[in-house]
Amino acid sequence: MKIGNREFDVNHKTYIMGILNVTPDSFSDGGKWNQKDAALAHVESMLQDGADIIDVGGESTRPGFAQVDAQEEASRVLPMIEEIRRRFDVPISVDTYKASVAEYKASVAEQAIQAGADLVNDVWGLKKDPAMAGVIAKHGVACCLMHNKKEAVYDNFLVDMLHETQECVNLARAAGVQADRIIVDPGVGFGKDYEMNLLTIRRLDLFRELGYPVLLGTSRKSVIGLTLDLPTSERVEGTLATTVMGVMSGCAFVRVHDIKENKRAIMMTEAILGK
């Protein structure tokens, strides 16, 4: 799979998407990286520690988050994407679900692509903004489609979750997004209760069966905090356990805050598996 100017061996390796939240209110690191110099220094540190992609987000999606309008979100992410593109040779992802419909009064995804983003990471899997799939197809960039829903209500959780994720893929394909441009994300922490989140991690193999590279995003999330009874600042070890599960289940990407620790866990797990 090609993202930006880099080829990813998504069938045999697990790569790291490093998180850069340029927001004041993200659940784990809100306010730490919303100043340019600090953010760029953090990007450099993540790359030195082994990040393969940098994911730039301008709106928190933590529980109870305050939605920001597209202009505000764009004002946060666009300058950062431009600076990262200018200073570093790394694929860039933009974490947004806003494309170009009138409701949002701006085109965050399209402007981000024009600023240098190589991948659109949509936490609503193209279902929030009907224009998003077309924007992705128009520019030929990669996309990550996350499973999400407003309430954790299912008839049959695993069956329904896979079906709903396939719906996201169908939206992309119908708009003209090529199959080799698509990544799927089971959406740990979104539209799921505690037991559902654990089951999702346990059955990542089912997502592989959809036929697309899988991204696992569990870093410092509530399922870890609830299991270990720890605050966000003390969830590294719990995150590493989920990363190891991801590697063993064949996930192509993990989206994490703590790059160095996760890189080492991936390398060790891959060595044991003979990858």
Side-chain angles (χ1 to χ4, degrees):
M1 181 178 199
K2 190 171 185 180
I3 303 175
N5 63 359
R6 179 169 175 184
E7 289 284 350
F8 291 86
D9 181 2
V10 295
N11 294 314
H12 302 99
K13 302 292 289 184
T14 302
Y15 299 94
I16 292 178
M17 176 183 281
I19 300 169
L20 180 67
N21 288 317
V22 287
T23 60
D25 60 342
S26 289
F27 82 96
S28 177
D29 55 359
K32 290 186 70 174
W33 316 119
N34 58 342
Q35 298 299 318
K36 186 178 76 170
D37 290 346
L40 290 171
H42 185 51
V43 171
E44 185 172 20
S45 175
M46 286 195 289
L47 294 176
Q48 289 174 347
D49 287 342
D52 301 289
I53 302 171
I54 300 298
D55 187 48
V56 183
E59 176 180 280
S60 171
T61 51
R62 63 179 172 80
F65 75 96
Q67 183 173 324
V68 300
D69 65 33
Q71 290 179 323
E72 173 64 22
E73 183 180 345
S75 73
R76 295 175 181 178
V77 301
L78 298 181
M80 193 55 56
I81 290 171
E82 290 171 349
E83 282 296 312
I84 294 170
R85 172 58 63 234
R86 186 171 69 85
R87 298 190 186 201
F88 305 104
D89 182 21
V90 61
I92 302 170
S93 166
V94 59
D95 184 354
T96 186
Y97 55 85
K98 301 184 182 80
S100 58
V101 294
E103 176 186 354
Y104 299 122
K105 301 183 179 63
S107 173
V108 178
E110 191 150 38
Q111 289 183 83
I113 293 165
Q114 292 167 346
D118 306 294
L119 183 153
V120 175
N121 184 12
D122 185 344
V123 299
W124 282 101
L126 309 180
K127 292 182 176 181
K128 191 78 167 179
D129 184 342
M132 182 66 89
V135 167
I136 292 167
K138 172 185 172 183
H139 293 280
V141 295
C143 59
C144 182
L145 310 180
M146 194 184 82
H147 174 266
N148 198 350
K149 62 193 306 181
K150 290 182 179 179
E151 297 181 359
V153 179
Y154 304 85
D155 292 325
N156 183 315
F157 172 60
L158 288 175
V159 172
D160 291 354
M161 179 172 59
L162 290 168
H163 175 72
E164 290 161 6
T165 303
Q166 185 62 54
E167 290 176 342
C168 299
V169 171
N170 293 345
L171 288 171
R173 299 291 285 127
V177 179
Q178 297 300 306
D180 63 359
R181 306 271 76 199
I182 296 172
I183 300 165
V184 294
D185 177 349
V188 172
F190 292 82
K192 301 166 186 67
D193 62 25
Y194 172 72
E195 293 295 340
M196 291 172 181
N197 284 319
L198 290 175
L199 182 56
T200 299
I201 299 167
R202 192 182 313 142
R203 294 310 312 272
L204 290 168
D205 58 302
L206 294 176
F207 270 81
R208 290 285 315 281
E209 293 176 9
L210 291 174
Y212 297 91
V214 176
L215 180 146
L216 178 63
T218 56
S219 187
R220 304 181 185 174
K221 285 187 175 178
S222 63
V223 65
I224 298 169
L226 290 169
T227 301
L228 304 178
D229 190 24
L230 291 172
T232 55
S233 60
E234 297 182 34
R235 298 177 186 174
V236 178
E237 297 92 343
T239 300
L240 297 180
T242 64
T243 290
V244 170
M245 290 288 290
V247 177
M248 294 180 68
S249 300
C251 290
F253 303 95
V254 292
R255 181 180 181 273
V256 297
H257 298 85
D258 305 289
I259 310 301
K260 183 185 296 181
E261 295 87 345
N262 281 276
K263 180 68 173 181
R264 290 172 177 173
I266 290 169
M267 291 174 66
M268 191 68 216
T269 308
E270 289 182 340
I272 293 168
L273 295 175
K275 290 189 173 184

